[in-house]
Amino acid sequence: MEYLSDRIKSLSVSQTLAMAQKSGELKARGIDIISLSLGEPDFNTPDYIKEAAKKAIDDNYSRYPPVPGYNDLREAISKKFKEENGVNYSSDQVIVSAGGKHSLINVILSIINPGDEVIILAPYWVSYYDQIILAGGTPVVVEAKLENDFKIRPDQLEAAITGKTRLIIFNSPSNPTGMVYDRNEMEKIARVVEKYEGLFIISDEIYEHIIFSGEHVSMASFDFIYDRVITVNGVSKGYAMTGWRIGYIGAPLWIAKACNKLQGQFTSGVCSIAQRAALAAIQGTGDSQKMMKEAFLRRRDLICGLLKDVKGLKVRVPQGAFYVMPDISYYLGKSDGETKIGNSDDLALYLLDKAQVATVGGDAFGAPDCLRISYATSDDLLVEAVKRIKGALERLK
Ligand code: PMP
Ligand code: GLU
């Protein structure tokens, strides 16, 4: 007999991780799977960062680190916010956590009471939804359409705000669509937030360094809502450090203090060695980031060009991150023999089975007509993957 809490029963399994696990198991059985499911750079962590971690071991960074992170790391993050994002966060306003995912749940648990509403913008990153549920909040989904480049209009946002709305989660560049809001579009959203006292906005900027045209704009740089923005970031994507588990926030001091209190009872300060590596990453020259960005841009052009030739897919060319989210609704309701494609998850499973390509169905992202493809893999594999996808889709009648 299992006695699980209602809390855990209310949570779904992360579909990005579930699909990655499934494809990993098939690979381990010797099946030639091409993995376009998990969103992580395929590059190794740059050498200068690895050297810093090795040195930290030798320098005996082996004791409990301070709960909110080492002071010099928080100062370096504070400097980074000022220089790169034009945002003033003192080091006291910075809290280092075990990945951006951990930073997000800290903030959500710190400000959401049961019954509070949190607005998320579909297509949204999977974990936003379930983290809100975990905090007892109610996710309110505002849908951005492919026809509008997967961006919401300010009036859509405003229409979703009620007396119970406490928080909006915003993410540009976006996982899963790769879309990037420009300054003008962001300012309009910021103006909506400004109108409602007690309404906060998390700006998840974890893909800020992977942007192909235009500039990254930080929500907190609009000074009229500065004290209502919590900026979430981390080193996972920009520095190919997904496994090191370092994320951070910049926030109003009272929110930073709350996250510190939570970490003090929950995780303590995060891995000392990883923090030293993150310090080196943030203080680096940015050369490796430039190289990775160029590779992602080349791959974006490659995969979007190939996907446009696949019958029935509608593709919006992403401007950042390393995802593309084609609309696959043309194939819903079609069959290959006994296999019927009822929804996007069925299609992802069909492609895994028949094309040996792992993707993630759009349902978990609040985008049931779409499929998420992570193109953070080699050019050759991308060409082969789209060839296989095309072949399998052609069999659907
Ligand atoms: N936000 C978004 C939009 C993401 O795609 C990810 C990737 N996992 C995260 C936050 C969290 O990243 P991590 O926990 O690896 O730092
Ligand atoms: N953010 C990545 C993704 O969306 C990693 C997996 C996860 O943390 O959910 O695939």
Side-chain angles (χ1 to χ4, degrees), residues 191-204:
R191 288 287 175 202
V192 174
V193 176
E194 185 193 16
K195 278 200 219 169
Y196 297 87
E197 211 189 311
L199 176 60
F200 293 85
I201 181 161
I202 290 181
S203 181
D204 180 346

Side-chain angles (χ1 to χ4, degrees), residues 171-364:
N171 171 223
S172 172
S174 151
N175 174 7
T177 65
M179 287 304 159
V180 176
Y181 284 76
D182 68 25
R183 183 175 294 279
N184 184 29
E185 291 162 336
M186 282 182 68
E187 179 162 1
K188 287 186 180 144
I189 289 176
R191 288 287 175 202
V192 174
V193 176
E194 185 193 16
K195 278 200 219 169
Y196 297 87
E197 211 189 311
L199 176 60
F200 293 85
I201 181 161
I202 290 181
S203 181
D204 180 346
E205 304 184 5
I206 200 147
Y207 295 98
E208 69 170 336
H209 292 129
I210 310 171
I211 186 162
F212 308 128
S213 51
E215 50 163 359
H216 170 72
V217 179
S218 285
M219 196 54 99
S221 67
F222 296 104
D223 49 11
F224 53 90
I225 55 157
Y226 165 78
D227 55 2
R228 299 226 245 120
V229 182
I230 303 100
T231 309
V232 170
N233 209 325
V235 296
S236 293
K237 316 289 174 169
Y239 300 90
M241 290 179 73
T242 46
W244 298 77
R245 310 308 305 133
I246 296 286
Y248 55 84
I249 57 161
L253 192 57
W254 60 274
I255 295 179
K257 280 185 176 168
C259 293
N260 187 23
K261 183 158 121 186
L262 190 55
Q263 287 197 170
Q265 295 288 19
F266 216 138
T267 50
S268 290
V270 297
C271 171
S272 52
I273 311 301
Q275 286 198 54
R276 303 318 288 164
L279 175 62
I282 288 168
Q283 290 178 330
T285 58
D287 289 353
S288 43
Q289 285 168 298
K290 200 163 158 264
M291 177 282 287
M292 289 189 261
K293 188 167 101 170
E294 277 163 12
F296 289 135
L297 173 58
R298 192 184 64 243
R299 294 164 182 183
R300 177 204 68 174
D301 290 343
L302 175 67
I303 192 158
C304 289
L306 294 167
L307 288 173
K308 278 187 174 158
D309 282 342
V310 179
K311 185 177 170 195
L313 297 187
K314 280 188 253 166
V315 180
R316 274 290 182 280
V317 177
Q319 297 132 25
F322 36 68
Y323 307 100
V324 56
M325 191 164 230
D327 177 300
I328 46 82
S329 51
Y330 174 79
Y331 292 100
L332 299 181
K334 295 199 180 334
S335 305
D336 175 3
E338 295 289 282
T339 313
K340 185 157 191 244
I341 307 300
N343 55 43
S344 66
D345 287 345
D346 290 347
L347 189 67
L349 288 173
Y350 172 77
L351 292 177
L352 186 62
D353 185 33
K354 294 285 172 12
Q356 278 90 47
V357 178
T359 56
V360 189
D363 283 278

Side-chain angles (χ1 to χ4, degrees), residues 31-34 347-358 384-393 395:
I31 302 172
D32 166 30
I33 302 289
I34 303 178
L347 189 67
L349 288 173
Y350 172 77
L351 292 177
L352 186 62
D353 185 33
K354 294 285 172 12
Q356 278 90 47
V357 178
E384 174 63 18
V386 180
K387 194 171 120 201
R388 292 188 194 180
I389 290 175
K390 194 172 177 189
L393 291 179
R395 293 207 293 277

